[in-house]
Every structure is written in C-alpha cells, then in structure tokens.
Amino acid sequence: MIQDQRRKFLIQELLQEDVRYRDMEIPREAEEQKQLLRALMNIRLPKDISQEFLDIQDEYLKTEAMSKGITDSEDLKPLKKGMYLWQGDITTLKADAIVNAANSALRGCFVPCHHCVDNVIHTASGIQLRLACDKLMAEQGCEEPTGRAKITPAYNLPCRYVLHTVGPIVSGQLTKKHCRQLADCYKSCLELANENQLRSIAFCCISTGEFHFPREEAAEIAVKTVSDYLQTDTQIEKVIFNVFKQEDYHIYKRLLS
C-alpha cells in the first residue's frame, strides 16, 4: 500500500466512525486530504480502534516523518555545557524525550488543525498518544495540576517519550506565582526524565503561545531552572531548547551565549 492509499484508508475509516461524516467526500488533492485526516484525528475521542487501522496509521505517520526529515540531537552542538538550542519542528527531533505543553485535561488539543504544539505533537504521534493520556487521566481522576508532568511513549515520533506538562495561563499581569509555576514545569519534566533514566530532553517554549506567558521572562526562567538542575546529581546530559519562532531563537541565543 502506497502513501496515498494509506491516507485514503485512514480518512475513510475515521469518517465511518461518525454518522455525521459518513457521506463526506474525500478531497482529490493530497494537501486537502492531509488536512482532513489531521482534523479527524484531532477531534476523535479516545476510544478503541482496529489493529489494522493502527498498523496502517503507523506506516503512514513514519513515512510522513521521514519525508519531513529527522534531526538527531546527537548532531547538535552545545552553547553551554549540557544546554543546546535548536530551531525547528519538535516532532522531527530524535532525542530521548520531547516536552509537550499540554492543557489541564492532558488529552491533546481537540481543535481541528490548531497551530499549538499540543495539536502538532498528537497529530504526528498518532491516536495512541491520546489513548495513553486518557488512561493516565482516568486513573488520576482529576485534571492535571499546573507545574506537574506525566510521561508517555512517543509512538510514531522519532523521540522515545513525550513528557506532558501544564504551564501557567497568564491572563493579566505576570505574577510571582506564574513564574514559580513555570519553573515547576521545567523542574518536574527534568525530574521525571531523570527518574526514567533519560539522557536527552527537548523543551518547547512552555506557556508562551496560547497561555500568553511573556517570552523574555519565560526563557530566563527556563534557562535558570535547567542550569540549576544540571548542577545536581542527574543522568541528564543534554537539554535542548526547541524554538520555532525567530524571536525566541534570538532570546535563547543571547541567554545561552
């Protein structure tokens, strides 16, 4: 089965799950099909699906990842001991773990094709990631507190694990509590990575997108928290600050130089 056939199969299976979409026609253009598939994956509730679907989905997503190109964290050069800066799509980074800036429900972003990192990571990982998160949250029995972290397999991502953390939401003036909570996010992820004997971890810019934490202050907290942690007795050897926007790249470059 070639990639076009895999994509059409996955779309058709997801459309058939919901009576509202069963008569929807699959677009002819590949890019429109990709957008539809992503949207259907984004809105899908965490529930079981056939092994055939999962097998074909896994082949599809791994092929898509290879076509985007994989960056191996082993090829990156440090700006400071143990600290690295990399600009790019975090779903294409090969490391022991990447960090997902999640919401308190911790089941991914349900907004179709949303631009947040939560949506991007769940889309590239596959529907198993939402199922794994749903199991964790059902066992916990309540929403995830700000500043804590959970770990799941990465499934179809080139990394091994995903660390999910809920950053503070800044709706007005930045407070000391916001800053403490953001530092807790970084510390919780580092501690969880160390507990699981991981040696490399890549952080996205937690809370600076949809949660509106000021970029400069967020980067300062991130760098200080990581720097302090790396001075403890830890197995972590490599912490990568992953940025997407040029503005964030310049901020981290200055702080790490």
Side-chain angles (χ1 to χ4, degrees):
M1 187 179 287
I2 63 174
Q3 198 71 339
D4 284 350
Q5 293 172 322
R6 294 187 188 107
R7 184 168 57 248
K8 290 176 182 177
F9 170 86
L10 297 174
I11 292 172
Q12 191 61 51
E13 289 294 301
L14 293 176
L15 290 175
Q16 290 302 308
E17 283 190 327
D18 194 316
V19 66
R20 295 172 297 173
Y21 307 134
R22 287 175 184 170
D23 295 330
M24 182 182 294
E25 291 188 10
I26 299 176
R28 301 179 66 176
E29 297 298 324
E31 286 304 315
E32 292 180 6
Q33 291 176 9
K34 290 180 181 181
Q35 287 296 100
L36 176 57
L37 177 57
R38 176 175 174 176
L40 291 169
M41 291 173 68
N42 294 159
I43 65 174
R44 186 180 190 272
L45 296 174
K47 55 186 178 181
D48 291 338
I49 201 164
S50 71
Q51 188 60 49
E52 180 185 19
F53 179 94
L54 294 177
D55 290 342
I56 293 175
Q57 175 213 241
D58 292 352
E59 285 298 318
Y60 176 80
L61 291 176
K62 287 172 182 174
T63 301
E64 287 294 293
M66 292 300 295
S67 69
K68 288 191 290 186
I70 305 299
T71 297
D72 193 331
S73 62
E74 292 297 319
D75 297 331
L76 303 180
K77 303 298 181 184
L79 292 183
K80 279 189 175 181
K81 184 178 180 181
M83 292 192 282
Y84 300 70
L85 177 61
W86 181 69
Q87 185 176 19
D89 179 354
I90 200 169
T91 67
T92 66
L93 184 62
K94 182 180 179 182
D96 284 345
I98 64 171
V99 173
N100 176 30
N103 57 51
S104 60
L106 216 80
R107 292 174 174 88
C109 171
F110 283 83
V111 179
C113 302
H114 196 245
H115 60 271
C116 69
V117 69
D118 195 14
N119 189 294
V120 171
I121 287 174
H122 272 266
T123 299
S125 177
I127 66 170
Q128 298 99 315
L129 187 59
R130 179 166 286 166
L131 293 170
C133 290
D134 180 65
K135 182 179 179 182
L136 288 174
M137 297 309 291
E139 292 171 353
Q140 180 164 290
C142 62
E143 292 196 334
E144 184 74 354
T146 301
R148 296 249 298 270
K150 291 278 193 296
I151 186 169
T152 65
Y155 299 101
N156 293 294
L157 296 167
C159 59
R160 294 169 55 205
Y161 297 97
V162 179
L163 304 178
H164 309 262
T165 190
V166 181
I169 300 173
V170 181
S171 57
Q173 185 176 0
L174 184 67
T175 66
K176 290 183 179 179
K177 181 179 179 180
H178 292 137
C179 296
R180 184 176 65 253
Q181 289 175 327
L182 184 61
D184 286 344
C185 288
Y186 284 91
K187 187 176 179 182
S188 294
C189 288
L190 291 165
E191 290 174 342
L192 190 56
N194 189 59
E195 288 170 14
N196 285 273
Q197 301 178 326
L198 307 184
R199 297 188 180 276
S200 59
I201 175 175
F203 283 99
C204 63
C205 298
I206 301 168
S207 279
T208 61
E210 296 298 310
F211 288 4
H212 307 296
F213 203 108
R215 297 178 182 280
E216 185 84 29
E217 289 85 347
E220 290 173 357
I221 292 168
V223 171
K224 183 182 187 307
T225 306
V226 169
S227 179
D228 290 346
Y229 189 84
L230 289 178
Q231 295 177 48
T232 66
D233 183 19
T234 177
Q235 298 183 65
I236 299 173
E237 300 172 348
K238 182 175 296 187
V239 176
I240 304 145
F241 296 104
N242 164 247
V243 299
F244 193 74
K245 295 185 176 182
Q246 195 67 24
E247 177 184 358
D248 291 316
Y249 180 85
H250 289 313
I251 293 171
Y252 276 93
K253 181 79 170 178
R254 175 174 51 80
L255 292 173
L256 292 169
S257 296

